[in-house]
């Protein structure tokens, strides 16, 4: 009987493994496209597992598990194959301490232990409050902060217990999520709660790297100024490594006007603090609520948006999160009927099960596989074009052999649902390419640039290549054959 049970268990495991393997397409044509490129196709980007990547600029969102709006076990197998090492989690005080003084860690232990075993690096946020205490703050987005003496003392105990439990598995921490969404959460109140929280973590883990503020807005420089002023007056600026903003814009490239303002405020107070983009992503369909709502997004425009945000942040030297790994089901949203926030790279439904990867999953995977620890940005990269439209362009080089990768795209509009390209002439003043290739990051397809479409004079390169509103590359072929 025991052998029969073991055999049946083996069959189930094989079936599960087969089902999973069928969900992720690793074929050269994994993403379909109508893109018409007049060059010879010579390959496809090969996805990297997280164990092949030492580090990169990216974090992938794995939020809302503290409120059961998603199920970690339904998507955990997809995380290592995405190629992003850092995952953003929320600590969930209300889920952990449902009875005063009694902590139930099983749910969070399971997630963090599993993530670490897969080569992932948890980035843990201390949100939210806990209604079991009077004045304990809201347990969900846009809630109030803990205010009563009893609740604040309980908060301190919980943060201490959280840091003690995970200090050997978590080195990066984040403060309360989007406090500026609640009108009572003034910059001063937020700063004071951040300070007491960060000091507890630092006492237990002196080497901890902590992200402060976590502001929903990407352009509220006044709120940032008030927050930093309080930190400065209390001698607490050194507690933090990053100041986090979110800031969703319909055109992802328009966000950097606000980022420039935030950075100028930051530099008034510190020469070491850095901005960090802590949460951004586009829906894949019409969504009635949440950021970037009430617009007819598609999987195509979502993928373009996510890539432009990732590479825009990389080009501005801002660490960046993709929101989010899977569609989130807010079961109590609105009139209580619930709704899906469809910003996931994976499609889900009200059952919280993974249905399939979206186009954006593969697009993000392509970027993660190319832009890892082996590339560094070339500041003040000099180029010119014959375009009448605006574009974004950033140059990178391999840290060892100095061969280059250039990312560029049309940046003037909200990403569309077309593959209409135009030929441009782009001149790069100090290039370094042996065998340049043209890459479509949307599909991962790699094309040879014919000799008739590029020339070299010293270190000046002239290319005649296609461009559209989705990121493409000119890259040395050797850097793509990893």
């Amino acid at each position: 009987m025991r052998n029969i049970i073991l055999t049946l268990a083996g069959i189930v495991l094989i079936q599960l493994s087969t089902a999973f393997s069928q969900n992720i397409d690793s074929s050269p044509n994994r993403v379909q496209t109508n893109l018409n490129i007049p060059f010879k196709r010579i390959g496809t980007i090969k996805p990297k597992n997280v164990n092949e990547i030492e580090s990169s600029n990216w974090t992938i969102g794995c939020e809302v598990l503290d409120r059961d709006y998603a199920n970690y076990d339904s998507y955990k197998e997809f995380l290592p194959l995405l190629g992003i090492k850092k995952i953003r989690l929320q600590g969930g005080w209300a889920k952990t301490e449902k009875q005063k003084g009694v902590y139930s860690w099983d749910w969070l232990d399971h997630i963090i232990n599993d993530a670490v075993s897969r080569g992932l690096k948890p980035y843990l946020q201390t949100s939210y409050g806990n209604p079991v205490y009077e004045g304990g703050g809201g347990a969900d987005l846009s809630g109030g902060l803990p205010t009563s003496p009893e609740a604040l003392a309980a908060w301190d105990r919980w943060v201490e217990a959280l840091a003690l439990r995970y200090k050997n598995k978590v080195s990066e921490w984040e403060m309360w999520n989007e406090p500026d969404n609640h009108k009572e959460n003034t910059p001063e109140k937020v700063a004071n709660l951040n300070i007491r929280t960060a000091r507890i973590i630092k006492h237990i883990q002196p080497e901890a790297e902590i992200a402060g503020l976590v502001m929903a807005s990407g352009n509220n420089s006044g709120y940032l100024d008030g927050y930093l002023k309080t930190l400065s007056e209390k001698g607490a600026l050194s507690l933090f490594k990053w100041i986090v903003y979110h800031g969703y814009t319909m055109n992802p490239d328009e966000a950097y006007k606000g980022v420039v303002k935030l950075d100028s405020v930051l530099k008034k107070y510190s020469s070491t603090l850095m901005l960090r983009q802590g949460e951004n992503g586009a829906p894949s369909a019409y969504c009635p609520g949440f950021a970037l709502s009430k617009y007819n997004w598609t999987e195509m425009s979502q993928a373009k948006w996510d890539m432009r945000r990732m590479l825009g942040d990389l080009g501005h030297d801002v660490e960046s999160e993709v929101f989010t790994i899977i569609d989130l089901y807010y079961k109590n949203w609105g009139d209580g009927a619930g709704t899906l926030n469809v910003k996931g790279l994976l499609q889900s439904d009200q059952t919280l099960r993974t249905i399939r990867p979206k186009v954006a999953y593969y697009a993000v995977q392509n970027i993660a596989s190319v832009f890892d620890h082996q590339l560094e940005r070339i500041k003040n990269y000099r180029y010119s074009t014959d375009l009448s439209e605006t574009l974004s362009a950033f140059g990178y080089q391999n840290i060892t052999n100095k061969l280059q990768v250039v990312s560029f795209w049309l940046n003037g509009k909200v990403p569309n649902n077309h593959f209409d390209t135009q030929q441009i002439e782009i001149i790069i003043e100090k290039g370094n390419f042996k065998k340049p290739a043209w890459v479509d990051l949307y599909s991962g397809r790699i094309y040879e640039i014919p000799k008739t479409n590029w020339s070299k004079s010293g270190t000046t390169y002239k290319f005649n290549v296609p461009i559209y509103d989705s990121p493409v590359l000119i890259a040395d072929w050797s850097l793509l054959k990893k």
Side-chain angles (χ1 to χ4, degrees), residues 1-9:
M1 183 67 178
R2 181 174 180 272
N3 288 337
I4 293 173
I5 293 172
L6 289 173
T7 301
L8 288 172

Side-chain angles (χ1 to χ4, degrees), residues 45 307 311 363 366-367 370-371 439-444 471-473:
I45 293 173
M307 289 190 292
L311 290 177
N366 289 334
I367 289 179
V370 174
F371 293 90
V439 185
D440 174 42
L441 286 171
Y442 180 92
S443 63
V472 299
L473 308 177

Side-chain angles (χ1 to χ4, degrees), residues 415-442:
N416 63 37
N417 296 308
H418 309 293
F419 292 104
D420 300 335
T421 65
Q422 56 181 294
Q423 290 290 119
I424 68 162
E425 180 180 270
I426 181 168
I427 299 172
I428 296 169
E429 293 187 14
K430 294 183 179 180
N432 188 13
F433 305 90
K434 290 183 178 179
K435 183 180 178 181
W438 187 92
V439 185
D440 174 42
L441 286 171
Y442 180 92

Side-chain angles (χ1 to χ4, degrees), residues 184-204:
E184 294 181 5
N185 295 340
T186 65
E188 295 74 23
K189 287 181 180 178
V190 174
N192 287 326
L193 184 65
N194 281 191
I195 290 168
R196 72 187 295 153
T197 304
R199 282 177 173 161
I200 293 168
I201 294 171
K202 283 282 193 178
H203 177 73
I204 293 163

Side-chain angles (χ1 to χ4, degrees), residues 369-420:
S369 297
V370 174
F371 293 90
D372 62 7
H373 63 283
Q374 299 178 75
L375 290 180
E376 60 184 0
R377 189 171 78 84
I378 303 171
K379 295 187 177 181
N380 302 314
Y381 198 67
R382 298 181 65 84
Y383 68 93
S384 61
T385 76
D386 59 353
L387 261 180
S388 58
E389 300 178 60
T390 60
L391 83 161
S392 292
F394 302 97
Y396 304 87
Q397 64 184 4
N398 181 275
I399 59 175
T400 302
N401 59 31
K402 307 305 180 184
L403 291 171
Q404 293 181 5
V405 175
V406 184
S407 65
F408 55 104
W409 62 92
L410 297 175
N411 65 11
K413 299 177 182 178
V414 177
N416 63 37
N417 296 308
H418 309 293
F419 292 104
D420 300 335

Side-chain angles (χ1 to χ4, degrees), residues 145 176-183 185 190 213-216 223:
L145 305 177
W176 190 285
N177 189 54
E178 298 191 348
D180 53 316
N181 275 339
H182 193 290
K183 63 181 181 180
N185 295 340
V190 174
L213 185 52
V214 200
M215 183 169 61
Y223 197 96

